[in-house]
Amino acid sequence: MKSLYQHSIRLLSTLLSLVSADACGIAADALFKDAEITYDCLKSIPFHQEESKQLAVSVRHYLSCYSAGTYFQHKPCPELDLPDIDINGTLSKIEDRIKKNQYKSDYDVGKDFVELFGSVKDGHVMFQLVCTSGASVYQHDYPLISVAASPDSIPEIYIAQFNASVPRPDEKVLKINGEDAVRYLDHMAKNGILGTYIDPYARFNQLLVQISGGKWGVGGFATR
């Protein structure tokens, strides 16, 4: 998988060489970066066609070892609440766009690769580039927590307020972007690219604040 490593290193080198550009210069100088500035910086990284071709070859070799690939294509288990996923077909479309030089930036082709791997929600098969894991840490100020008033009541969604590093429910969340909060999170758990669990309930819980290794994290909704 040498070319995967080389691609990430080249991407990072290109990013560093662009610090004089407006967006990248601002992002490089700021400890806490505005999301729009960071996005503009990533989008300014030029598309490298030949290296992307090499990356696609390596990804296809990698995915040829993924025996569960055909399992997802025909959705044999509706309980998983996953869409049909044609891994080889999607990869072929990415390869075709690379060959036709249709990508405008390195970020765009990297995003397609990451979304391809994220579509299967399988933490055993992951793919990350500098632009998605390393260049910046993405987080907003609205982590969510799910709390039920009693053992036999339906949990509701709240903004999590951390007191002494322990999350407590604060304001109740009824809607997110104008949509019912639970429905929005269900859709995100099903179609988002950050989930690493096959089980739909585990994917939903990944979006909420969670504890791991004795430390609380803000969850996938706040770091998407």
Side-chain angles (χ1 to χ4, degrees):
M1 307 308 292
K2 183 178 180 181
S3 62
L4 292 178
Y5 174 77
Q6 290 175 331
H7 182 84
S8 292
I9 294 300
R10 175 60 182 272
L11 175 59
L12 179 59
S13 299
T14 304
L15 178 61
L16 293 175
S17 70
L18 290 172
V19 294
S20 59
D22 289 346
C24 291
I26 295 173
D29 291 337
L31 178 60
F32 296 99
K33 304 171 180 60
D34 180 83
E36 186 175 356
I37 293 294
T38 303
Y39 178 73
D40 288 344
C41 176
L42 292 172
K43 290 283 286 185
S44 70
I45 300 172
F47 170 59
H48 300 285
Q49 186 182 35
E50 290 305 316
E51 291 182 359
S52 294
K53 287 180 180 179
Q54 296 174 20
L55 177 61
V57 170
S58 295
V59 168
R60 188 168 286 282
H61 285 317
Y62 179 33
L63 287 175
S64 68
C65 301
Y66 187 41
S67 59
T70 54
Y71 180 87
F72 292 101
Q73 186 171 350
H74 304 291
K75 196 165 51 178
C77 184
E79 291 80 8
L80 296 180
D81 195 27
L82 289 172
D84 293 335
I85 303 163
D86 184 356
I87 294 176
N88 287 323
T90 303
L91 180 55
S92 294
K93 291 179 180 178
I94 296 174
E95 290 172 326
D96 186 60
R97 291 193 65 190
I98 292 173
K99 291 176 182 178
K100 293 179 179 178
N101 203 27
Q102 292 180 341
Y103 286 103
K104 294 183 178 180
S105 72
D106 206 281
Y107 171 86
D108 294 327
V109 65
K111 179 174 178 289
D112 276 358
F113 277 119
V114 171
E115 287 182 346
L116 168 62
F117 279 81
S119 64
V120 298
K121 312 294 187 294
D122 187 348
H124 300 94
V125 183
M126 300 182 67
F127 177 81
Q128 296 289 348
L129 291 170
V130 173
C131 62
T132 55
S133 62
S136 294
V137 176
Y138 307 98
Q139 182 175 323
H140 60 66
D141 296 328
Y142 303 100
L144 300 180
I145 189 171
S146 179
V147 179
S150 64
D152 58 351
S153 62
I154 298 176
E156 296 179 303
I157 305 299
Y158 295 83
I159 294 175
Q161 181 68 44
F162 282 82
N163 296 318
S165 300
V166 177
R168 306 290 184 188
D170 191 16
E171 184 179 353
K172 183 185 294 187
V173 179
L174 300 177
K175 293 182 180 295
I176 301 174
N177 290 347
E179 185 177 353
D180 175 78
V182 174
R183 188 178 298 113
Y184 183 96
L185 294 174
D186 277 336
H187 178 82
M188 190 174 175
K190 178 178 181 178
N191 299 288
I193 64 172
L194 300 179
T196 55
Y197 293 103
I198 296 296
D199 182 83
Y201 300 105
R203 294 199 305 269
F204 187 94
N205 288 336
Q206 269 192 299
L207 301 175
L208 310 175
V209 296
Q210 52 199 269
I211 189 169
S212 177
K215 295 182 179 180
W216 284 97
V218 296
F221 176 78
T223 57
R224 68 194 193 281

